[in-house]
Every structure is written in structure tokens, then in C-alpha cells.
Amino acid sequence: MPISQLFDVNSQLAFYGAYHSNKINVLVHMIFVPLILWTSQVLLSQFPVPSVVPALHYEINDYLAFDLNIPAILAGLYIVYYFILEPVAALFYTPQMILSLLTATAYSKGSGNVSNAGILHALSWIAQFLGHGLAEKRAPALVDNLLGAVVLAPFFVHLEILFGLGYRPEMHKRINNEIGKEIARIRKAQGDEKRAAAKSS
């Protein structure tokens, strides 16, 4: 994918949406993508940060805490990227990301909680793959673009909810049109591969 398309919301959402056109699979993602993000933040909180990163910690209460750690840095980068893609939607998403980060950080401090998060993380991924295999009937986006799929997933789910609430209908229609074109392109490529394989066998 060209670098210019990495910052084009239509291209990015068309790519991701082409792998998530089934309503059941989209619902599965709405449930489990936030869980994957949250459990990832719990798990990554155990990794040390480079020495150049200042040690910052602020505990709001037993359920909300902030550390300047790997999850916090990644959350900041995610939000910056989302603002580049679609500023208003990113603004709406920012409180959700902050809440996810603060609760994950606080939860990671409890005894045995990291192990629990690891189990939930694995189960959430299994649910995602089942959604693709049983409902979407195709491989997930991460097979073709791991980084793009992992980074885009939370924002895609967020936008799907916003679109359902009537957010920017013209944008929703435009992206759906692009998704249709992308699905047609992928199916054509798959058909060409099958025909080529049949000829060579």
C-alpha cells in the first residue's frame, strides 16, 4: 500500500471494511476488539520502557491509574493517527481510549490479573477468527496487512457505531462504495489465482 494511502481515511476503511462486510462478524468485532485492545494494554504494561522515558505515575483511584508506559505511548500514537484520518471521530474516540488505558493500567497492578487478561485476550482472538471463518468466510485483514489491521480495528469499530447513529452519512455511503469495489477486486484476484492454479495442475 502506498504511503499516501496510510493517511487516507477512505483507503484505510475500505481496506479494513472489505474484510468485515458480514453483520455478524462486525458485531463480533464490536464486542471483542475493545477487549483485545484493553487486554493488550494490561499485558504490555508489564514491559519496561526505555530509560529516556520519564517515570510518571498517577493513581486516581483503585480502578483508574496512569503510567507513562508502553500502552500509554501506543495509545498516544493511535490517537494521533486517528486524528489524521478523521479528526471529529477521533475526538469522540479519545475518551474511550483514555478510559481503556487508565482501567487497564490499574487492573494490571492486581495479583493474578495479568494472567486473567492473557486468557481473555486469547479467547477474544479466537472469537475474532471464528467470526471470520464462520460468518465472513474469509481470512481476517491481518493476514494481508497485520499492522494496518491491528491499528485500524478499534477505530473501525468506533466509526461503525458512529455511522449507525447517523454520523456523516455521505462519508458512510462513500466508504461503503469503496468497500464494494475492494471486495470485487479481491474476489477477482482470488478467481484469477484459482483459474491459474487449475491450468497449471
Side-chain angles (χ1 to χ4, degrees):
M1 179 178 291
I3 295 296
S4 60
Q5 291 186 8
L6 291 176
F7 302 101
D8 179 73
V9 67
N10 294 325
S11 298
Q12 289 301 308
L13 293 181
F15 158 76
Y16 195 83
Y19 293 81
H20 304 85
S21 57
N22 180 277
K23 291 183 179 180
I24 294 176
N25 192 34
V26 170
L27 179 60
V28 168
H29 281 62
M30 286 182 175
I31 296 170
F32 291 102
V33 164
L35 282 175
I36 288 174
L37 174 65
W38 185 80
T39 52
S40 295
Q41 290 171 330
V42 175
L43 297 173
L44 290 173
S45 68
Q46 305 305 297
F47 286 77
V49 296
S51 58
V52 296
V53 178
L56 294 179
H57 173 76
Y58 183 73
E59 188 170 321
I60 301 170
N61 54 41
D62 290 342
Y63 307 101
L64 300 169
F66 175 80
D67 285 336
L68 186 53
N69 54 14
I70 299 297
I73 294 169
L74 289 176
L77 293 174
Y78 272 46
I79 290 298
V80 168
Y81 182 53
Y82 296 161
F83 265 97
I84 294 172
L85 289 178
E86 175 60 22
V88 176
L91 183 64
F92 290 146
Y93 181 72
T94 299
Q96 181 180 334
M97 176 65 88
I98 292 173
L99 183 62
S100 178
L101 176 66
L102 296 182
T103 55
T105 301
Y107 184 80
S108 69
K109 309 295 184 184
S111 175
N113 286 352
V114 173
S115 297
N116 294 337
I119 294 170
L120 182 57
H121 187 79
L123 292 175
S124 297
W125 273 112
I126 291 171
Q128 297 270 91
F129 281 106
L130 288 175
H132 278 281
L134 300 178
E136 198 78 41
K137 299 188 185 303
R138 60 176 305 187
L142 59 85
V143 172
D144 292 331
N145 186 340
L146 175 61
L147 181 61
V150 171
V151 173
L152 277 176
F155 200 50
F156 178 83
V157 166
H158 172 66
L159 277 169
E160 281 294 311
I161 294 171
L162 289 183
F163 288 147
L165 296 174
Y167 176 77
R168 295 193 60 182
E170 76 291 344
M171 177 185 178
H172 190 199
K173 181 179 179 181
R174 184 174 67 249
I175 289 174
N176 278 338
N177 289 337
E178 292 299 320
I179 288 173
K181 293 177 184 177
E182 182 67 11
I183 290 174
R185 184 194 67 78
I186 292 171
R187 287 176 177 170
K188 181 180 182 302
Q190 290 174 338
D192 291 343
E193 288 178 4
K194 289 180 180 178
R195 284 189 290 272
K199 288 180 180 179
S200 61
S201 61

